[in-house]
Amino acid sequence: MAKVYFGFALADSMFNGDCTIVRRQLTAEEAKVRVDQGVVPSLNPSHKATIEAMRTRFGIDVAIPEKPPQVSLSAGDSIIVMGVRGLARLTDRHEYTAEEIASVNFAFAEYAVS
């Protein structure tokens, strides 16, 4: 059965062998529907503030695993990635303000392996 992961980044090591990857941009609404259908969370607990920002802004709720799984994408699998641009790294606090969340650009894409 095909797996759908959800994360904030891609790595070459996620892809098994030679493959063709199809990238499709998603709206936040499309991403929420896909997440609601069930995904394997590939999130790092240290990104809790970004995950909370995603929940607040889009109502997308992805569980935070104690330890992220090893992502292994084969034919039929995919990963939904939320890219964040303009959100500063938190070094002295653990939450973003509503103004910070409102000012950044969130982009969603699904990378499918065929």
Side-chain angles (χ1 to χ4, degrees), residues 41 43-46 63-69:
L43 301 171
N44 188 321
S46 68
I64 304 171
E66 285 185 34
K67 181 181 174 193

Side-chain angles (χ1 to χ4, degrees), residues 2-87:
K3 290 184 180 178
V4 179
Y5 294 88
F6 183 93
F8 292 154
L10 287 177
D12 183 66
S13 61
M14 293 178 172
F15 301 95
N16 292 322
D18 293 335
C19 63
T20 300
I21 303 163
V22 176
R23 180 184 181 275
R24 182 174 74 94
Q25 290 183 302
L26 301 174
T27 65
E29 295 79 22
E30 290 171 322
K32 183 175 182 343
V33 167
R34 297 283 288 149
V35 168
D36 289 346
Q37 292 171 345
V39 295
V40 177
S42 178
L43 301 171
N44 188 321
S46 68
H47 294 142
K48 184 175 170 118
T50 305
I51 296 163
E52 287 300 324
M54 176 181 70
R55 287 179 179 145
T56 299
R57 182 136 175 209
F58 302 109
I60 297 174
D61 191 16
V62 178
I64 304 171
E66 285 185 34
K67 181 181 174 193
Q70 178 73 32
V71 176
S72 180
L73 299 167
S74 298
D77 296 338
S78 65
I79 183 167
I80 298 168
V81 175
M82 182 183 83
V84 182
R85 291 187 177 91
L87 199 55

Side-chain angles (χ1 to χ4, degrees), residues 56-57 86-87 93 96-104 106:
T56 299
R57 182 136 175 209
L87 199 55
R93 55 195 166 102
Y96 292 107
T97 66
E99 294 80 23
E100 288 171 320
I101 294 170
S103 70
V104 300
F106 292 88

